[in-house]
Amino acid sequence: MTTDRRVLVHPDKESLAGSVAARFITKVIDILDEFEEAHIVLTGGTMGAAVLAAIRASSASHTIDWSRLHFWWGDERFVPKDDADRNELQAREALLDHVPVVESQVHAFPASDEIADLDEAARVYAAELAAAAPEGALYPRFDIMFLGVGPDGHIASLFPGHDEIRITDATVVPVRNSPKPPPLRLSLTLPVIQSADRIWMVLAGGDKASAIGLALAGASIDEVPVAGAEGRKRTVFFVDREAAAEVPEGLIAPSY
């Protein structure tokens, strides 16, 4: 597993979102020069939506061949399809409804009014991952995986001290006791997250500083799940100044 973790600090949330959007556009174009298609994993939250909105607003967004992109999610709240809490709905409103994506290549987690049983919903999404995977694999090659990070250090819906963080024999896990509402969720497991070529964590605010500091200091994934978020090629923390408060100066990258 790579040890190439970088922390890129931005002055504020707006410049943070704009910078990540610009890097995303450039990197996706590079990926599509090398591969026929790209698989992107999205996240929810304020900064996740802000990055997608900044991609949409960029004058360079038209340079992406959107028809060659597949979109997935790292986790989802198990609520009805039109519930404002759904990460999918936030992503559609911020970006996906405004660019020429292929609808069959937008791979949303099942909603509670589509599949009522949480375990069955997890199985359905695992099957969708497998259907898009190379022969013999259980999930696609993820080129870029966006992750948010909670103040408690959780990623996707893998929370500190909960059993889901240690599951390795499944690709999708049902979550019934999320400490952050709503309690019912679906999440990719840590091995799937760690399979991504690039993990990009975008976070802002002083309440995230401790989690980042602990993760970079080698904390246990049981205590700080983000400590286990490492991509195969690169792992980048895109942060604002407040979130970088507890990052050692030597780990802050001057450029990327």
Side-chain angles (χ1 to χ4, degrees):
M1 186 174 292
T2 179
T3 57
D4 182 13
R5 285 181 165 187
R6 302 185 182 205
V7 182
L8 298 180
V9 183
H10 302 76
D12 50 47
K13 293 178 182 179
E14 184 177 1
S15 62
L16 171 59
S19 175
V20 177
R23 293 175 191 278
F24 174 81
I25 292 168
T26 300
K27 180 53 66 176
V28 165
I29 291 170
D30 289 344
I31 292 166
L32 292 178
D33 280 343
E34 183 176 357
F35 299 103
E36 184 61 31
E37 59 187 19
H39 290 262
I40 311 298
V41 181
L42 302 179
T43 185
T46 303
M47 287 311 303
V51 168
L52 297 184
I55 294 169
R56 172 190 173 190
S58 171
S59 60
S61 65
H62 72 281
T63 60
I64 292 177
D65 184 350
W66 294 97
S67 70
R68 294 166 61 193
L69 268 59
H70 287 255
F71 291 96
W72 304 83
W73 275 264
D75 73 323
E76 187 57 277
R77 290 82 177 270
F78 196 57
V79 293
K81 187 79 170 174
D82 61 354
D83 193 302
D85 276 346
R86 269 184 72 84
N87 293 332
E88 177 202 359
L89 186 63
Q90 295 172 17
R92 287 186 179 279
E93 291 176 345
L95 176 66
L96 300 182
D97 285 348
H98 308 280
V99 291
V101 297
V102 178
E103 187 58 35
S104 63
Q105 294 171 193
V106 177
H107 306 276
F109 278 97
S112 62
D113 54 352
E114 294 174 322
I115 297 176
D117 181 75
L118 187 64
D119 293 295
E120 178 61 20
R123 287 190 289 268
V124 166
Y125 205 64
E128 189 162 354
L129 287 167
E135 185 175 354
L138 295 176
Y139 39 83
R141 182 202 75 251
F142 294 121
D143 298 283
I144 299 173
M145 179 175 293
F146 286 104
L147 288 176
V149 181
D152 61 354
H154 81 266
I155 51 173
S157 283
L158 305 177
F159 292 92
H162 288 236
D163 292 341
E164 291 87 2
I165 189 64
R166 285 292 181 185
I167 290 177
T168 59
D169 59 352
T171 56
V172 181
V173 62
V175 178
R176 289 186 166 81
N177 56 349
S178 165
K180 180 181 178 182
L184 299 183
R185 295 164 175 248
L186 295 159
S187 181
L188 300 183
T189 56
L190 189 59
V192 181
I193 291 171
Q194 292 173 334
S195 78
D197 281 354
R198 301 163 191 86
I199 290 179
W200 289 7
M201 285 168 279
V202 186
L203 53 160
D207 61 337
K208 309 296 179 70
S210 176
I212 302 174
L214 288 169
L216 293 171
S220 160
I221 63 170
D222 290 302
E223 298 175 351
V224 187
V226 64
E230 292 191 55
R232 291 178 57 252
K233 293 183 177 179
R234 181 156 291 160
T235 307
V236 185
F237 291 83
F238 297 93
V239 302
D240 70 354
R241 283 179 179 151
E242 292 183 355
E246 298 186 28
V247 175
E249 189 68 30
L251 295 180
I252 296 175
S255 64
Y256 173 40

